[in-house]
Amino acid sequence: MSEKVRLTCPMGRKRAESWSGSVLVPVGACTAAAGLSGLFDLPVLPEGPLAWSAAALGAAALLAGIVLLVDGIRLRVPVLEVEDGEFRYTRGRYIVRIPSADVGSYYVLPGRTRSLGLCDVAGRPRHFPSVRGRRANRPYLPLTGLTSPAKVDAFMSTAGIPPRDRSLTSGR
């Protein structure tokens, strides 16, 4: 196969954190500025304790928005690619490269965070180093929770990798 086949997993958490952070930053900044400028001072209250609480609440919202925005930007989206006889899984700096001839079949693990398992041509699961840099090996590659198993099936069939046959009769 000489053409490139690519599947980018959708990342709902990345979008949610980025959007909520980008909303919280200006809201927090405006609330803190309004509290410090005395906009919330009421003539009934001496010293304006409402203004200071508004400034503190705005500063907390500003800080939370910055944290969410930075964390949303830092999240990496998994990408599956097959090109020139090589299967590639990329997630940030973590890259797995396997010759397509060494991939016999695949299976998708259900759950909150979907995962892709690959088997060799003999049907044994392949083991990969941990994504987070820990010493443990895992028999799967993590995808995202919004990744549809139907899209993974379509990608793998386009790449020419069959699903794992788990039947007892093996195709009869």
Side-chain angles (χ1 to χ4, degrees):
M1 169 177 277
S2 63
E3 62 190 50
K4 185 177 193 176
V5 182
R6 182 180 178 133
L7 172 70
T8 303
C9 298
M11 184 69 87
R13 180 177 160 204
K14 180 179 183 82
R15 289 187 196 131
E17 286 187 8
S18 299
W19 279 99
S20 60
S22 63
V23 167
L24 271 178
V25 167
V27 167
C30 290
T31 305
L36 290 176
S37 69
L39 186 64
F40 292 112
D41 283 339
L42 298 174
V44 178
L45 299 172
E47 304 277 331
L50 188 60
W52 286 108
S53 62
L57 183 64
L62 178 67
L63 185 64
I66 290 171
V67 168
L68 282 172
L69 192 60
V70 168
D71 192 47
I73 290 171
R74 288 184 52 214
L75 285 174
R76 299 290 174 222
V77 179
V79 176
L80 301 172
E81 292 178 329
V82 174
E83 181 181 22
D84 295 330
E86 181 180 65
F87 176 86
R88 254 189 320 259
Y89 170 86
T90 308
R91 185 175 183 174
R93 294 185 305 167
Y94 181 78
I95 299 172
V96 172
R97 294 174 185 224
I98 303 170
S100 293
D102 292 348
V103 180
S105 61
Y106 76 95
Y107 57 97
V108 179
L109 296 169
R112 189 181 72 137
T113 302
R114 292 202 185 13
S115 299
L116 176 68
L118 298 175
C119 299
D120 59 7
V121 290
R124 294 182 304 256
R126 294 186 60 103
H127 288 276
F128 307 101
S130 176
V131 177
R132 304 268 183 202
R134 298 184 188 113
R135 295 181 190 211
N137 286 334
R138 294 190 176 28
Y140 55 84
L141 298 169
L143 302 175
T144 61
L146 293 178
T147 304
S148 169
K151 284 188 179 181
V152 175
D153 290 339
F155 167 76
M156 292 302 234
S157 67
T158 304
I161 301 171
R164 184 177 182 184
D165 184 20
R166 298 192 58 123
S167 68
L168 295 175
T169 59
S170 72
R172 291 184 192 167

